[in-house]
Amino acid sequence: MEKLVVHSLINFPQDLEEFLEGIPLEFLEPAHRKIIDAVIDLSRDKRLITRETLLLELGEGFCQGQDFLEVFNADCTPDYINLKEDFKKFLALKVQRKLANELAKASLNSEIYDLEFINRYISIEPSQNGALLSEYIKRFASMPPLAKLSTGVSFFDEILGGGFEVGRFVLVSGDAETGKTLLCQQFLEFMALEHKVCYFSFEFPVRGYVDHLLRRKFYFNPENLYLDGDSQHLNDLSARIKSLARKGFKAFLIDSQMRVMGYGDAINSKEEFESSKFTVLSSLAKSLEVLIILIIQNSKDDEFAPFGSKKGSHEADIMFRISRLKKFELKRLNFDEEHGFLMRKITTLKNKQTGLQTFKYFRIDQKSFKFVHIEGNKKGQPRLFYRRED
């Protein structure tokens, strides 16, 4: 119907202004709105409205596009003025479909779709997002500075400028059994010395992790660590993070991407389904000013992208990848395969905090990652020694 109306306005512009009065043009397709704006300009200048004059007004490139050609292939009627109420209803249904899509997105983000939320989309006046710099300065002056959460490992704290800032979304990737969970637990347990943290243990039983902590005599306050092995649905996960953030929890570890379930029925493709997880969690980290660490599985086609989501890596602020050392690396470092079995290379793939990107070698020693210092010996061969992190 939209194409019919636009074509009719072009061919029979005598009722143009009467028809458009009260019609919310912002809800038309952008190409159709552009054509109508050109028709209005030509009409007000009392110039002839034809395909040729529109070509001059809109440009050859636009007029060769599919949207423009489809308008001229559509039906038209000189009595389009009688279609005004039907056209309003058509646009109302169009807006309703748009709101339905926004409702699905709101549900994925665990938002309440109330009247205030709807008014952001149907209000005649656009809602005001953001504020003047002076207003932000006043607002933030009364707030404490953004917290930085130390990892407990000097290498990571150095490249992060003191630790993870709250408001960051971090991805940790690697092949199976490379120590992704171990490294992230090491981060979280060190943070628990000073902050309240949460571990969503979806890959391993919560009881097994508790037994593991008791065996090795942890040193943080158990009141600082919240454990959840059940909130695997994205909606439940988001609600739990929001609830704990209100109680002062600063860091959240989710193990792992593949265990988080979403709204498959509302998503059109696998890419959208997986990407929705990253979009929601990234948004939560920023809006709640908390740290969210997500352990991911790598894409089989792109080792730098999460499984099933090309967009996932774009949502992340920081990305680390853990890998075993290849034979040529073991040889270069003067390690045999037996001693090199527990060696790991950790690469910084992305770092929006400081921009520093590098890699370092670590060894898994007594269930934690220990930084490996590499120096040359007298014969010019690399020599390794280990220093336990404070």
Side-chain angles (χ1 to χ4, degrees), residues 266-333:
I267 302 297
N268 296 323
S269 67
K270 179 72 173 178
E271 169 73 23
E272 285 187 71
F273 176 73
E274 289 299 325
S275 293
S276 66
K277 303 175 186 179
F278 297 93
T279 301
V280 169
L281 294 174
S282 175
S283 176
L284 282 175
K286 292 173 176 56
S287 63
L288 300 175
E289 290 190 354
V290 296
L291 171 69
I292 296 180
I293 302 174
L294 175 64
I295 296 175
I296 66 170
Q297 181 175 338
N298 290 105
S299 167
K300 293 180 180 179
D301 301 323
D302 182 357
E303 65 177 12
F304 298 105
F307 174 82
S309 174
K310 296 178 181 177
K311 184 180 178 183
S313 58
H314 295 286
E315 295 285 1
D317 298 297
I318 299 163
M319 293 179 66
F320 295 124
R321 175 165 173 74
I322 307 174
S323 57
R324 291 184 177 84
L325 272 63
K326 301 185 185 301
K327 288 184 178 181
F328 77 88
E329 290 177 298
L330 292 173
K331 183 177 180 180
R332 180 168 57 82
L333 297 174

Side-chain angles (χ1 to χ4, degrees), residues 73-90:
N73 288 330
D75 294 332
C76 69
T77 173
D79 299 323
Y80 63 88
I81 192 70
N82 296 321
L83 299 176
K84 184 169 182 175
E85 293 306 314
D86 289 337
F87 190 58
K88 283 184 177 180
K89 184 177 180 180
F90 166 83

Side-chain angles (χ1 to χ4, degrees), residues 124-224:
I124 295 175
E125 294 295 331
S127 58
Q128 181 177 346
N129 296 316
L132 294 171
L133 173 61
S134 57
E135 295 175 34
Y136 276 124
I137 292 174
K138 291 179 182 177
R139 185 187 308 175
F140 296 151
S142 60
M143 298 171 65
L146 281 174
K148 275 194 175 182
L149 312 182
S150 173
T151 66
V153 183
S154 59
F155 163 68
F156 292 104
D157 284 352
E158 182 180 347
I159 65 171
L160 295 170
F164 291 112
E165 292 176 353
V166 294
R168 298 295 187 178
F169 180 44
V170 181
L171 303 183
V172 177
S173 67
D175 295 329
E177 306 301 324
T178 51
K180 302 184 292 294
T181 297
L182 179 62
L183 178 66
C184 294
Q185 287 174 347
Q186 186 174 338
F187 287 164
L188 200 71
E189 290 165 18
F190 186 84
M191 293 172 190
L193 291 171
E194 296 184 5
H195 306 280
K196 291 184 176 182
V197 300
C198 174
Y199 178 25
F200 293 101
S201 181
F202 301 148
E203 291 285 352
F204 306 100
V206 168
R207 183 172 181 178
Y209 178 59
V210 172
D211 288 345
H212 169 70
L213 287 175
L214 292 172
R215 283 196 305 271
R216 58 186 179 85
K217 298 180 181 180
F218 61 92
Y219 295 98
F220 57 87
N221 184 350
E223 294 291 323
N224 283 350

Side-chain angles (χ1 to χ4, degrees), residues 6 10 30-42 47 49-65 67-69 71-72:
V6 176
I10 294 170
H32 297 162
R33 173 68 186 273
K34 189 172 182 177
I35 294 171
I36 288 178
D37 287 342
V39 171
I40 292 172
D41 290 340
L42 290 171
R47 293 160 60 192
I49 301 173
T50 65
R51 189 166 183 164
E52 288 69 28
T53 55
L54 286 172
L55 177 65
L56 294 173
E57 192 76 11
L58 296 168
E60 186 175 350
F62 178 83
C63 294
Q64 289 178 348
D67 293 322
F68 186 83
L69 297 176
V71 165
F72 278 89

